[in-house]
Amino acid sequence: MPKLACVAGEPSGDLLAAPVLSALNQIPDMAGLEVYGIGGPRMQAEGMRSNWPMETLSVRGYVEAIQQLPAILKLRKELIQNLTHEGRPDVYLGIDAPDFNLGVEHDLRKAGIPTLHLVSPSIWAWRGNRIKKIAQAVDRVLCIFPFETEIYDRAGVASTYVGHPLASDIPLEPNTNQAREKLEQQLKIPRHSFDGVVIAVLPGSRSSEIELIAPVFFDTMQLLSKKLKGQKLHFLIPIATPRLRAPLESLLLKAKMHNPDIDIHLLDGMADEVLEASDVVLIASGTATLQAALWKKPMVISYKVPWLTAQIMKRQGYLPYVGLPNILCGEFVVPELLQDDATPEKLANAIQDWLEHPNQVAELKSRFTQMHETLRRPTGILVAQAVAQTISNHRKQRVNP
């Protein structure tokens, strides 16, 4: 029975890997494939056995990682011990989470286990010296952005462009009205309740993000309600994971105390439906910004991290922007308001600016459509084929060393 070990460290990795596992189930040679390691609900729904909680790895930034370090190191030790002994797989697939996965991949490769890494670390944005570590740790990098393979070719690292799975999952043309009707049904509210301006608010998928940026987003919603009094505003917040519901409900309660009429809805998951239904998006920097771009939505990107984390990242960065839409377009096509600039006043003004300039929104949608077409590949199938081929080669080598 073929064996695949894989590790996704956060919800975005779970989202990326699920189509891969689904595609693997369709490959005849992979019949009976055993998949185990660390993954989220989407991967588990495709038959994966998650032996450790993904939440242990879901941290962002140096300060947060240091606080979580003992738990991460313990998990890493247990994982490597398992995979080099009784749980030895035919191949290891690391999904993003480079600070964790590259170390694991290095040790497994030394132990003779083939390693693949899905999602190139952002060596083109910061910490470019990591390419040496990647070369030592990974047999092949599976790149989700087209310009990355050239960087690996120059460094002598095998790589394959597989496209971004979100680009295949999300249609080229959003259906805003249909998405609104679906959300109205989900919330059990009358049809056309969302007539007016729908603003999607995505404060992140980590507890630290909710703690640092969500209060600012709620203050921004309050301010927008005052600034745009003459318009009917609806704020929709998809909750990334169940553990985030309680802190978001607490913030919602405070918002209602200040302004009982403010229309804010919390939804479990449903980020795609919320984005498709929206007119404009207020969003924390991360994979979700690409999701919003693929839904062709104007957005304002924001982020806050502890001061020390910000200083370290600033010194190691190569690009003037952090949001994926801006990185892929090579310029500021959407505003980024980070750290001290992440104030309710500036965020509200930037959201209002999109609402008052429909011509700029139309230009942005055209730009995002071009990006979508470039990223659209049968990603799940391409990654599954790379995994299946690696397993096949590894098994042949064991038979004919």
Side-chain angles (χ1 to χ4, degrees):
M1 181 185 292
K3 294 182 176 182
L4 166 65
C6 50
V7 168
E10 54 190 81
S12 60
D14 185 44
L15 186 68
L16 290 169
V20 175
L21 302 186
S22 176
L24 278 166
N25 290 330
Q26 310 306 315
I27 297 176
D29 289 349
M30 292 295 103
L33 176 69
E34 185 181 355
V35 186
Y36 49 93
I38 302 172
R42 290 181 177 87
M43 295 168 71
Q44 292 173 45
E46 296 296 340
M48 181 202 184
R49 184 178 74 249
S50 187
N51 299 330
W52 294 270
M54 188 175 72
E55 287 76 13
T56 304
L57 303 180
S58 296
V59 294
R60 190 169 193 171
Y62 292 97
V63 175
E64 300 88 330
I66 289 169
Q67 293 169 345
Q68 188 74 348
L69 190 58
I72 292 172
L73 290 176
K74 181 175 181 288
L75 190 158
R76 181 184 182 277
K77 183 178 179 181
E78 290 176 2
L79 177 71
I80 293 172
Q81 176 71 18
N82 178 272
L83 297 185
T84 52
H85 290 84
E86 66 271 15
R88 190 180 181 92
D90 292 294
V91 64
Y92 178 88
L93 174 66
I95 302 109
D96 208 358
D99 289 318
F100 181 85
N101 270 322
L102 289 176
V104 174
E105 288 157 359
H106 180 271
D107 286 6
L108 296 185
R109 196 181 188 201
K110 279 178 66 176
I113 298 168
T115 57
L116 301 173
H117 190 90
L118 174 60
V119 183
S120 167
S122 304
I123 49 175
W124 32 266
W126 68 309
R127 291 174 68 184
N129 59 338
R130 276 202 294 191
I131 200 161
K132 294 174 185 175
K133 186 175 182 180
I134 295 167
Q136 295 171 345
V138 182
D139 287 296
R140 180 172 295 274
V141 181
L142 304 171
C143 302
I144 61 173
F145 299 127
F147 59 83
E148 294 172 324
T149 53
E150 185 181 340
I151 298 170
Y152 285 109
D153 286 346
R154 289 200 301 265
V157 179
S159 66
T160 303
Y161 172 53
V162 296
H164 201 295
L166 288 177
S168 296
D169 292 343
I170 294 172
L172 282 170
E173 273 295 326
N175 189 328
T176 300
N177 290 333
Q178 188 178 79
R180 291 185 183 186
E181 287 176 13
K182 185 174 181 179
L183 291 173
E184 287 161 354
Q185 291 171 10
Q186 177 72 17
L187 292 165
K188 296 183 172 57
I189 57 179
R191 283 191 64 184
H192 308 299
S193 292
F194 289 144
D195 287 353
V197 178
V198 174
I199 301 175
V201 179
L202 284 79
S205 59
R206 300 174 178 86
S207 297
S208 59
E209 291 169 333
I210 300 304
E211 184 181 337
L212 288 167
I213 197 69
V216 181
F217 281 10
F218 272 84
D219 288 344
T220 303
M221 289 186 269
Q222 294 280 17
L223 191 54
L224 280 166
S225 295
K226 292 175 185 174
K227 287 168 67 73
L228 303 173
K229 246 182 202 172
Q231 299 189 53
K232 195 175 177 184
L233 302 184
H234 311 282
F235 300 100
L236 305 181
I237 305 177
I239 304 171
T241 59
R243 73 182 187 280
L244 301 180
R245 174 167 273 281
L248 287 170
E249 283 181 338
S250 177
L251 288 167
L252 176 58
L253 186 61
K254 290 178 185 174
K256 289 284 190 181
M257 286 172 64
H258 285 99
N259 179 4
D261 296 326
I262 194 166
D263 190 38
I264 301 175
H265 297 273
L266 301 180
L267 296 107
D268 292 315
M270 302 193 77
D272 281 311
E273 290 84 355
V274 166
L275 288 168
E276 186 175 16
S278 67
D279 294 296
V280 64
V281 181
L282 175 61
I283 191 166
S285 177
T287 303
T289 61
L290 178 61
Q291 215 172 339
L294 292 171
W295 283 114
K296 323 297 180 304
K297 302 299 177 177
M299 73 190 83
V300 177
I301 298 173
S302 186
Y303 210 73
K304 275 180 176 284
V305 294
W307 180 86
L308 181 58
T309 296
Q311 298 312 304
I312 296 170
M313 294 180 75
K314 194 182 294 183
R315 288 187 177 90
Q316 296 204 24
Y318 308 138
L319 300 176
Y321 16 72
V322 301
L324 282 168
N326 292 332
I327 289 169
L328 289 168
C329 289
E331 61 177 303
F332 282 105
V333 294
V334 299
E336 296 180 3
L337 294 166
L338 315 173
Q339 294 301 99
D340 292 341
D341 283 330
T343 66
E345 292 77 15
K346 290 183 178 180
L347 293 171
N349 287 340
I351 291 288
Q352 185 177 2
D353 195 54
W354 281 123
L355 294 174
E356 292 177 350
H357 294 90
N359 289 342
Q360 291 179 16
V361 172
E363 289 174 16
L364 184 72
K365 287 181 178 177
S366 175
R367 193 77 179 267
F368 283 165
T369 299
Q370 293 171 15
M371 179 200 300
H372 195 154
E373 289 168 344
T374 301
L375 295 175
R376 202 170 204 189
R377 298 286 184 276
T379 305
I381 294 170
L382 293 174
V383 176
Q385 288 173 344
V387 170
Q389 187 61 55
T390 305
I391 289 176
S392 176
N393 292 344
H394 183 55
R395 295 198 143 199
K396 284 177 186 173
Q397 287 170 6
R398 284 194 320 202
V399 174
N400 304 301

